[in-house]
Amino acid sequence: MHFQIQVPNAHPAGILEVFSPYDGKQVGSVETVDAAGVEQALQNMTTVFSDRQSWLPAHERIAILERTARLMQERAEQLIALAIAEGGKPYQDTKIELMRAIAGIQNCIDCIRTEHGSEIPMQLNLASMNRLAFTHREPIGPVVAVSAFNHPLNLIVHQVGPAIASGCPVIIKPARETPLSAFALVGIIHEAGLPKAWCQPVVTEDTAVAEQLVTDKRVAFFSFIGSAKVGWMLRSKLAPGTRCVLEHGGAAPVIVAEDANLDNILPLLAKGGFYHAGQVCVSVQRVYGHRSIVQAVAERLASLAENMTVGDPSSDKTDVGPMIRHREVDRIETWVNEALQEKATLMAGGKRLSNALYQPTVLLNPSEHSKVSRQEIFGPVICVYDYDQIDDAINRANSLPYAFQAAVATQNIDTALYAYKHLAASAVMINDHTAFRVDWMPFAGLRESGYGKGGIPYTYRDMQIEKMAVFHSPAI
């Protein structure tokens, strides 16, 4: 499938071919833009936003989003197949992702219908007498969004949907590994009635051109999902006044107390750790099990890992698909081998199955200095560690420069509340895995894991300003 450039008045600079991470076959291509194309895209959205008479009223935005959701539902299998082909997430998980994306569009509609300004109290002192004040929400301005590969449908909805809902024109730059889903989705949005200049997908020729796009002074809001190294670098170069939100990765910790219901929690932890081959920013990575149960935790996680089907992501029987790039399999193999040399115990997995596939792996008590303990694995590896006192587990969980979502498994309310209070995280799941998310909840990385707050309603608000009017009249 080939997608043409969707930037009005721009010319393509080249072709980006897209390949399946599973078998290496070409699955499509998109036309790219150079510096001139980026400039044209910025001019397009600046022009439409500068003309306030051309702003899309709320009822039109609602109608466009409603038609978008209908078209996505009608073309569900096509979108699922495209996302699997380029991203490698197994069929069942990609189907769920698409359903989430459609629900996300509906969530954007709900934001338009329910979010509102407020009255500011006046006449509280002599200075404020004879005055009436209220606020109204209006779009912040042109948005540039840079997305990641691991949820090629839902992440685009999280960035483009709130922009459309809030009334902001948006340029979306998908990951180079997975641009096809973004172009298909934006094509649906255009078909639903949104003028092209209000939503332009672009794939740039190189990083310098991408940086030109992000740091332009005409950009009012920057949304980034990707690596911390790139995100923090781009934030440091934003033009004065550009607001931003950054979503990076983590090394999510789980504390399993001695009274935890292992029958309930361990299948959840296995799913949270091996979902999309661990390529999720809040994947279960570090599991701290009380010494009295840690062997059982490791053995049962290993059994769950060994019973997972690894292979073709287009099959509805597959649990774990490929890594996005072959070099990521090389990296995971190196990290696991290093951990084993540093005295970790291999409970399950530990081997590559192909250039694209790596076994779901469980390690017991890797060294605290091993890469698998200190860095984000972003692969199908769960590390299990023993602890004696919960404060020790919490201190070790908090010891890394990342803080995103964490979890605790216990039947004791006091233990749950203690862990909730002391874990360094923006969210703590009780008796659930760290990768739990619904798209209307806040989603925020702390420390090196991010900046600002995600979640559709929160992004919608970030992409607007609350503008105040103050009436002064003796009649008030």
Side-chain angles (χ1 to χ4, degrees):
M1 182 174 290
H2 176 71
F3 289 95
Q4 295 180 323
I5 192 171
Q6 296 187 34
V7 177
N9 303 316
H11 302 287
I15 300 292
L16 173 68
E17 296 178 339
V18 181
F19 299 90
S20 163
Y22 174 63
D23 58 19
K25 294 180 180 177
Q26 185 176 344
V27 295
S29 59
V30 296
E31 294 179 345
T32 63
V33 297
D34 55 14
V38 160
E39 173 60 26
Q40 185 62 60
L42 289 164
Q43 285 183 20
N44 291 341
M45 71 172 180
T46 303
T47 298
V48 294
F49 187 76
S50 298
D51 179 10
R52 294 187 172 232
Q53 295 298 322
S54 74
W55 285 8
L56 301 174
H59 71 89
E60 287 189 19
R61 284 177 269 140
I62 289 172
I64 289 166
L65 291 169
E66 286 176 337
R67 289 191 291 269
T68 296
R70 283 199 301 272
L71 288 170
M72 290 173 67
Q73 188 68 60
E74 290 170 6
R75 299 172 194 174
E77 289 302 322
Q78 298 172 36
L79 291 169
I80 290 169
L82 193 62
I84 292 171
E86 65 176 350
K89 186 186 297 178
Y91 177 86
Q92 292 293 350
D93 293 329
T94 301
K95 183 176 181 179
I96 291 171
E97 180 188 342
L98 177 66
M99 295 303 105
R100 282 180 62 188
I102 294 171
I105 295 292
Q106 297 292 346
N107 195 183
C108 291
I109 295 169
D110 292 340
C111 288
I112 300 174
R113 287 177 168 153
T114 59
E115 294 288 344
H116 52 79
S118 60
E119 183 178 351
I120 308 301
M122 291 289 158
Q123 307 189 63
L124 302 181
N125 57 15
L126 288 176
S128 61
M129 291 301 294
N130 304 117
R131 287 172 172 83
L132 172 68
F134 62 86
T135 64
H136 170 76
R137 292 185 181 274
E138 67 177 40
I140 191 172
V143 171
V144 167
V146 174
S147 204
F149 76 87
N150 51 349
H151 307 290
L153 293 167
N154 199 42
L155 293 183
I156 303 303
V157 166
H158 268 256
Q159 294 171 295
V160 167
I164 296 169
S166 63
C168 294
V170 57
I171 295 172
I172 176 70
K173 180 189 172 300
R176 289 180 67 87
E177 294 84 0
T178 56
L180 306 179
S181 297
F183 273 69
L185 185 54
V186 173
I188 286 174
I189 293 169
H190 292 159
E191 186 178 339
L194 186 72
K196 284 191 174 182
W198 285 87
C199 184
Q200 303 169 97
V202 301
V203 175
T204 55
E205 284 287 277
D206 54 44
T207 55
V209 174
E211 186 176 316
Q212 170 194 335
L213 169 66
V214 169
T215 59
D216 191 275
K217 65 182 180 181
R218 291 164 288 188
V219 177
F221 189 85
F222 173 50
S223 169
F224 178 82
I225 303 173
S227 75
K229 179 180 178 182
V230 175
W232 292 117
M233 180 275 292
L234 290 173
R235 178 176 177 257
S236 73
K237 297 184 177 183
L238 293 179
T242 301
R243 299 183 188 179
C244 74
V245 62
L246 310 176
E247 181 185 311
H248 301 149
V254 180
I255 296 174
V256 182
E258 56 189 319
D259 65 346
N261 185 326
L262 300 187
D263 291 338
N264 290 343
I265 192 61
L266 293 183
L268 293 172
L269 297 188
K271 179 64 177 179
F274 300 130
Y275 168 71
H276 198 8
Q279 298 170 114
V280 179
C281 59
V282 286
S283 287
V284 172
Q285 177 170 328
R286 298 176 293 150
V287 176
Y288 296 92
H290 189 271
R291 189 177 299 276
S292 63
I293 59 167
V294 70
Q295 192 68 29
V297 168
E299 289 176 356
R300 292 174 66 174
L301 280 175
S303 177
L304 290 163
E306 290 169 345
N307 284 310
M308 288 186 169
T309 300
V310 184
D312 185 352
S314 65
S315 170
D316 61 4
K317 307 298 183 187
T318 297
D319 299 304
V320 179
M323 302 291 289
I324 191 64
R325 309 175 194 90
H326 291 175
R327 66 176 180 269
E328 293 302 306
V329 180
D330 297 338
R331 178 183 60 82
I332 296 299
E333 183 178 53
T334 298
W335 285 20
V336 170
N337 288 341
E338 286 180 358
L340 295 176
Q341 292 170 5
E342 293 163 350
K343 307 306 182 184
T345 300
L346 180 66
M347 304 298 293
K351 296 188 186 309
R352 69 161 67 220
L353 299 175
S354 71
N355 287 335
L357 301 172
Y358 195 86
Q359 289 179 320
T361 296
V362 177
L363 300 175
L364 176 60
N365 281 326
S367 166
E368 295 289 347
H369 302 291
S370 295
K371 290 186 179 71
V372 295
S373 299
R374 303 300 302 172
Q375 300 182 39
E376 180 184 22
I377 295 174
F378 214 63
V381 181
I382 296 176
C383 300
V384 181
Y385 309 84
D386 60 37
Y387 75 90
D388 290 308
Q389 301 297 325
I390 193 169
D391 284 331
D392 174 50
I394 290 172
N395 289 337
R396 289 156 70 191
N398 292 346
S399 66
L400 301 187
Y402 318 109
F404 214 138
Q405 298 195 160
V408 58
T410 179
Q411 300 301 301
N412 186 307
I413 186 65
D414 291 331
T415 302
L417 290 173
Y418 187 85
Y420 168 75
K421 179 178 179 181
H422 290 91
L423 281 167
S426 61
V428 177
M429 311 301 165
I430 293 88
N431 295 323
D432 209 341
H433 61 77
T434 57
F436 171 76
R437 183 185 186 185
V438 289
D439 298 310
W440 56 88
M441 76 187 211
F443 193 68
L446 308 176
R447 298 179 179 172
E448 292 183 15
S449 291
Y451 178 83
K453 188 184 300 181
I456 285 173
Y458 303 91
T459 303
Y460 174 82
R461 290 170 203 154
D462 280 347
M463 290 181 178
Q464 293 187 319
I465 62 169
E466 203 166 6
K467 189 175 184 179
M468 186 169 64
V470 181
F471 283 85
H472 182 203
S473 170
I476 299 174

